[in-house]
Amino acid sequence: MTYDILIGDRSYSSWSLRGWLLFAAFDIPVSVHLNEMYVPAFAETLKDWGPARTVPVARAADGALWTDSLAIAEGLAERHPAAGHWPSEPRARALARSLAAEMHAGFGTLRGACPMNLRVQWRGFEPSQKVRADLARVETLWVHARGLAIADGPWLFGTYSAADAFFAPVAMRIAGYALPMGDAARAYVDAHLSHAPLRAWRAEGEAADRTLENYDMGLPTAPFPMA
Ligand SMILES: N[C@@H](CCC(=O)N[C@@H](CS)C(=O)NCC(=O)O)C(=O)O
């Protein structure tokens, strides 16, 4: 089976990053098509991808179309049961699905206040109480997942799962805005910063992407902390 995925600008499109990681981190080949965001052609291009209104969108050679990142996770897990999108242990698998769903549906304050931007680290960002509350919830979920991990390894359930793909952009926000987190959460963020697929994604964004002014926080910058 071959696949195609339509993504937005790699440096900024957090949902696209999730969708693509669901292929790349699980060794499932996919042809990538870029649909630059915030230009009129964005909506035009989407017309070739069924009812999709946002990126990512993934398509299988048999015509199956997933117009949402969570649908991509379930579609690939169904077609590639050995790839390991969800943990094999039932309680861990239930929690992994719950984490991905909560990430998908929530954390609007954190997402709105700290848009993902893989090009710079912002200096002097002061998280509001509401952002801190989202971060506290993120840490609660991560600690809970680690308690159910059945394998060694730096990821939420030991080995990389779709839950990690869903939290990768959160980890990039923590790194990019130097958000305050405990040591265990910091180590988890570092695992994402060292993750080869995510590093490849960022390098491609650095090489190809425009700078989107609407992502400018108006703060001093430092290099993004991924060497
Ligand atoms: N629920 C969707 C969210 C996708 C989404 O909001 N994508 C953004 C880019 S990160 C987008 O396409 N924005 C363009 C628009 O809303 O017009 C998913 O999980 O795939």
Side-chain angles (χ1 to χ4, degrees):
M1 184 64 62
T2 59
Y3 297 97
D4 294 272
I5 186 169
L6 186 70
I7 60 165
D9 308 62
R10 289 177 176 83
S11 305
Y12 306 101
S13 181
S14 59
W15 293 109
S16 298
L17 169 58
R18 291 181 178 94
W20 178 82
L21 281 171
L22 293 165
F23 290 92
F26 298 90
D27 294 325
I28 301 172
V30 63
S31 297
V32 178
H33 308 267
L34 178 63
N35 191 16
E36 290 187 338
M37 300 187 297
Y38 311 112
V39 294
F42 180 83
E44 275 304 303
T45 301
L46 279 173
K47 287 180 182 163
D48 294 334
W49 297 74
R53 295 180 63 178
T54 56
V55 285
V57 198
R59 180 158 50 206
D62 63 5
L65 193 70
W66 299 283
T67 62
D68 180 277
S69 56
L70 202 50
I72 295 172
E74 291 300 354
L76 292 180
E78 175 190 302
R79 288 171 180 238
H80 301 271
H85 285 92
W86 301 117
S88 56
E89 198 279 321
R91 289 179 312 149
R93 187 163 64 251
L95 184 62
R97 280 196 160 104
S98 302
L99 261 58
E102 184 166 338
M103 176 66 248
H104 187 262
F107 299 104
T109 302
L110 173 62
R111 291 186 359 229
C114 307
M116 191 183 86
N117 183 339
L118 301 180
R119 312 206 95 177
V120 292
Q121 184 185 57
W122 300 110
R123 286 286 163 88
F125 178 80
E126 275 301 325
S128 67
Q129 280 309 314
K130 283 186 173 175
V131 169
R132 286 176 190 272
D134 267 0
L135 292 172
R137 176 65 183 164
V138 165
E139 278 197 281
T140 298
L141 294 176
W142 289 356
V143 167
H144 205 76
R146 295 294 302 169
L148 287 188
I150 49 165
D152 288 336
W155 305 110
L156 290 174
F157 297 93
T159 49
Y160 196 93
S161 76
D164 298 297
F166 272 82
F167 278 103
V170 173
M172 294 303 95
R173 288 174 163 97
I174 292 168
Y177 291 79
L179 298 174
M181 300 297 272
D183 289 347
R186 193 62 244 176
Y188 178 62
V189 170
D190 288 345
H192 282 285
L193 289 169
S194 301
H195 190 216
L198 202 153
R199 294 173 70 86
W201 169 274
R202 178 170 177 270
E204 287 188 51
E206 279 292 280
D209 284 354
R210 308 152 293 155
T211 297
L212 294 181
E213 301 300 336
N214 48 328
Y215 284 74
D216 187 353
M217 299 297 291
L219 293 168
T221 61
F224 191 80
M226 183 186 272

